[in-house]
Amino acid sequence: RTGEDASDPDSGGQPITMCVSLQYVLPSNTDLGKIYNSFGTAYHERYTLIARNVISNVAQTFSPQDFWTARTEIANKMFEACKTELKAQGMVTVTQLQLLRIDFPSQYEDMITLIQLQVQQKVTKEYQQRVTAILKNLEVMQAQVDAQVAVIEAEAE
């Protein structure tokens, strides 16, 4: 779940599904024995649980819009948080985290798509208005030039 949208305090965030890839390195020193004593052969499942909780907590600090506009920042915060927590709780070094895919509910994505289309249409209309204004100004300038030519020709006769 995302955090609430600052422009809509009643939003309460949006459900979200993320596909994340996380790479970690097991230590080659005495910590390896500590890992086995703490987690047995289920260390990977424990690391997955820790990473899921950390990623969920980080996701809740961002608004839904941030997932479109600040994806790199979100991924970096998730990476740093996982690195810290997995080192503290699991004694491993996280080397990489990739935020591969973010999915919102279809209804929400459709609404965002519609909003983006409206924003693009507004920009397109504004450009069309500018083009029309320029063309009208050119027509006025051409009429003024034609009028000046007519005056010069009339005076010349």
Side-chain angles (χ1 to χ4, degrees):
R1 189 161 198 75
T2 67
E4 68 181 27
D5 189 342
S7 63
D8 182 9
D10 295 329
S11 69
Q14 290 292 324
I16 189 172
T17 303
M18 291 181 283
C19 181
V20 177
S21 171
L22 177 80
Q23 291 82 39
Y24 60 84
V25 176
L26 292 169
S28 58
N29 57 20
T30 56
D31 284 343
L32 194 56
K34 292 178 187 175
I35 291 171
Y36 184 77
N37 286 336
S38 297
F39 309 119
T41 58
Y43 65 92
H44 181 72
E45 290 80 5
R46 179 68 178 157
Y47 295 158
T48 301
L49 178 65
I50 294 168
R52 282 184 177 167
N53 288 336
V54 168
I55 288 168
S56 176
N57 290 341
V58 171
Q60 291 177 43
T61 65
F62 290 93
S63 72
Q65 183 178 2
D66 292 335
F67 283 87
W68 277 277
T69 60
R71 183 179 178 138
T72 302
E73 178 187 349
I74 293 170
N76 289 340
K77 295 239 182 190
M78 289 177 176
F79 172 62
E80 292 301 324
C82 283
K83 197 159 68 168
T84 301
E85 284 304 310
L86 283 169
K87 187 68 168 175
Q89 293 184 41
M91 298 168 273
V92 295
T93 302
V94 175
T95 58
Q96 195 169 17
L97 182 141
Q98 298 164 320
L99 185 51
L100 302 173
R101 194 176 76 230
I102 302 168
D103 292 324
F104 285 93
S106 296
Q107 183 180 5
Y108 183 74
E109 285 195 15
D110 292 345
M111 181 185 71
I112 294 299
T113 301
L114 183 61
I115 290 169
Q116 288 302 313
L117 280 172
Q118 289 172 348
V119 167
Q120 288 174 0
Q121 287 173 345
K122 179 183 176 215
V123 170
T124 301
K125 294 270 188 212
E126 288 171 354
Y127 282 128
Q128 286 174 341
Q129 287 174 347
R130 286 185 197 163
V131 168
T132 301
I134 290 170
L135 290 174
K136 293 300 178 189
N137 285 338
L138 286 174
E139 287 176 15
V140 169
M141 291 169 59
Q142 184 64 48
Q144 289 171 341
V145 168
D146 290 345
Q148 288 176 348
V149 168
V151 166
I152 293 171
E153 285 177 349
E155 289 176 352
E157 291 178 1

